[in-house]
Amino acid sequence: MTSSSRERLPDRIAIGVLTRAFPPELVDEVLAATGRVEQRKRLLPARVVVYFVLAMCLFRQEGYEEVTRLLTNGLAWARHWRAQWQVPTTAALSRARARLGAEPVAALFERVATPVATAATAGAWYRGHRLVAVDGTTFDLADTPANGDYFGRPGSSRGDGVSAYPQARVVALAECGTHAIFAATSAPLTTTESKLVPKLWPALAPDMLLLADRALLSFDTWRAATATGADLLWRARSSAVLPVTRQFDDGSYLSEIVAARDKNRRADPATVRVVEFTLGEAATVYRLVTSLLDPEQAPAAELAALYAQRWEIETALDELKTHQGGPNLILRSQHPDGVEQELYGFLLTHHALRGLMHDTAASAETDPDRISFLRTLRVVRRQVTDQAAFSPEPPDASTTVHP
């Protein structure tokens, strides 16, 4: 393939599976919607910076300039480009990230991140319900005054009583059968998970069954989640008051939860079904509350076994932080807006990887859990350096590309 001398190297960057998951046309739409359309040509146009952020999160342990070299490696043979375009400096790449901001990357995640399981996906469904789970985690951040002031630091028993690194809190919704994270939000460490999770409820749908740990259960959170039409299966604290209003043959029973402000009158209760079971030699008693009230449609033994699927989101978050981010992950961004941009970059690349793994499993007619995340990550990283398939920025009208 030949190109006119007016076509620039940034116009030919491609990054394999990421441009497949996030087509240039979609990136352009998001940039236009968020007001990042540029009036003049830059060495680092906004679209290229979006792909750079994604690649930066894919090649977590590489410096800025090396990430750019990896993106352009597939075109190194194009000698006439070498004289026209040089790898931008780390300072230039940092300024380009700051110009882009977090909003376009967050908007891209909102557009693209959806559940990926089909009706045929093994392990993704329970009696017509798509299994999803909610959980939270924290990310260590670069130790800068801006990050410390905005996000805060956890306490520590050493030194001056605070951690060496600021932390951001993230809560997410993930599809249990595929580990695809399809909704997420972040906040300073002082914001509790229970206050963050309602921001995720718009991503719920009536065909979903949402699994959650005991820390989440409260009347208002339950009522808001069920208002989406989704069904719920959440663990309850051992101290929760759950009076028996009707006993079922399978051992479960109907009960009700009320808001603390209504605990005496109980004028506005939410009806729930309770499933109790024990696990382990210590015979720990687990109590689950669910909106699935009919034991014939959802037997207690099935729900007790099903709750173990909640751990799939723990695995998804571990993939994101430990495997994709690397051991002892510390985000590199120096300012809060960059932190948010970087977090959504991680989420986008993880979703792309999980989408690829689902498609691979579907073609092999196997469970997505049988596909190695780490092996997929390695394959995709190799692919990035080998592909330069098409331009992430449309060429000028005067530019021609000939096969």
Side-chain angles (χ1 to χ4, degrees):
M1 181 176 68
T2 62
S3 168
S4 78
S5 61
R6 297 188 62 182
E7 188 176 12
R8 305 174 310 144
L9 183 56
D11 299 340
R12 297 297 305 165
I13 293 173
I15 46 179
V17 69
L18 297 183
T19 44
R20 168 183 173 271
F22 317 116
E25 297 80 8
L26 175 60
V27 174
D28 285 346
E29 289 178 18
V30 168
L31 290 170
T34 54
R36 298 306 195 278
V37 176
E38 295 168 318
Q39 300 303 313
R40 63 186 180 89
K41 290 281 187 178
R42 291 182 179 272
L43 178 66
L44 289 166
R47 191 202 290 181
V48 171
V49 180
V50 171
Y51 286 122
F52 169 78
V53 170
L54 298 177
M56 178 186 78
C57 296
L58 188 63
F59 295 98
R60 168 63 189 83
Q61 302 194 24
E62 302 295 345
Y64 281 10
E65 294 179 31
E66 182 60 21
V67 170
T68 309
R69 291 188 184 95
L70 290 168
L71 291 181
T72 58
N73 184 62
L75 292 172
W77 54 268
R79 185 174 302 174
H80 60 279
W81 267 318
R82 290 179 183 174
Q84 297 179 17
W85 195 84
Q86 295 181 345
V87 173
T89 64
T90 297
L93 289 161
S94 296
R95 290 193 295 270
R97 283 191 60 201
R99 285 196 305 271
L100 180 69
E103 187 180 2
V105 189
L108 183 61
F109 179 76
E110 186 174 349
R111 288 284 299 272
V112 171
T114 60
V116 301
T118 67
T121 303
W125 303 87
Y126 170 71
R127 294 184 176 236
H129 292 84
R130 186 189 300 271
L131 296 177
V132 301
V134 62
D135 202 3
T137 188
T138 57
F139 284 79
D140 286 341
L141 312 177
D143 183 16
T144 65
N147 285 344
D149 290 344
Y150 182 81
F151 289 103
R153 302 169 189 266
S156 172
S157 60
R158 301 179 179 179
D160 56 5
V162 294
S163 172
Y165 298 102
Q167 287 187 344
R169 190 178 304 282
V170 174
V171 293
L173 286 170
E175 192 174 39
C176 296
T178 66
H179 296 186
I181 297 172
F182 62 94
T185 189
S186 64
L189 188 63
T190 53
T191 306
T192 63
E193 289 184 10
S194 60
K195 289 186 177 180
L196 271 183
V197 290
K199 295 183 178 182
L200 305 179
W201 294 164
L204 294 176
D207 70 336
M208 294 178 178
L209 176 58
L210 175 65
L211 312 179
D213 199 7
R214 56 190 170 186
L216 193 60
L217 182 60
S218 72
F219 175 83
D220 291 333
T221 306
W222 182 274
R223 181 64 62 85
T226 54
T228 67
D231 280 302
L232 315 181
L233 179 64
W234 295 3
R235 187 179 173 188
R237 296 181 186 274
S238 59
S239 59
V241 178
L242 296 169
V244 178
T245 61
R246 180 183 174 185
Q247 186 76 48
F248 293 116
D249 291 341
D250 68 350
S252 64
Y253 58 90
L254 289 184
S255 185
E256 58 186 26
I257 58 175
V258 296
R261 59 185 175 273
D262 189 36
K263 65 180 181 180
N264 294 323
R265 295 180 61 221
R266 305 184 76 86
D268 183 30
T271 300
V272 299
R273 181 164 151 245
V274 181
V275 175
E276 295 185 351
F277 62 99
T278 59
L279 280 180
E281 295 180 359
T284 302
V285 177
Y286 286 76
R287 290 198 298 172
L288 307 179
V289 294
T290 181
S291 60
L292 298 171
L293 304 181
D294 187 347
E296 293 188 2
Q297 297 298 317
E302 292 184 2
L303 294 181
L306 188 66
Y307 184 70
Q309 292 294 311
R310 193 200 72 80
W311 293 101
E312 299 296 342
I313 190 172
E314 302 261 357
T315 302
L317 293 173
D318 182 68
E319 292 167 354
L320 185 70
K321 294 175 62 175
T322 304
H323 299 304
Q324 186 180 330
N328 304 314
L329 170 66
I330 301 171
L331 299 189
R332 66 179 90 197
S333 301
Q334 306 290 301
H335 300 279
D337 193 56
V339 168
E340 185 179 4
Q341 181 194 78
E342 190 173 355
L343 284 170
Y344 279 109
F346 268 99
L347 290 163
L348 281 163
T349 49
H350 182 270
H351 194 275
L353 291 164
R354 272 294 164 184
L356 175 64
M357 292 169 67
H358 173 266
D359 293 348
T360 302
S363 64
E365 298 183 348
T366 189
D367 190 320
D369 284 345
R370 297 184 66 85
I371 306 295
S372 167
F373 180 84
L374 190 55
R375 182 174 296 177
T376 302
L377 178 62
R378 290 169 178 162
V379 168
V380 168
R381 283 172 172 166
R382 288 197 299 269
Q383 182 193 47
V384 167
T385 62
D386 293 339
Q387 291 195 359
F390 58 86
S391 169
E393 181 179 52
D396 295 335
S398 59
T399 299
T400 57
V401 179
H402 305 287

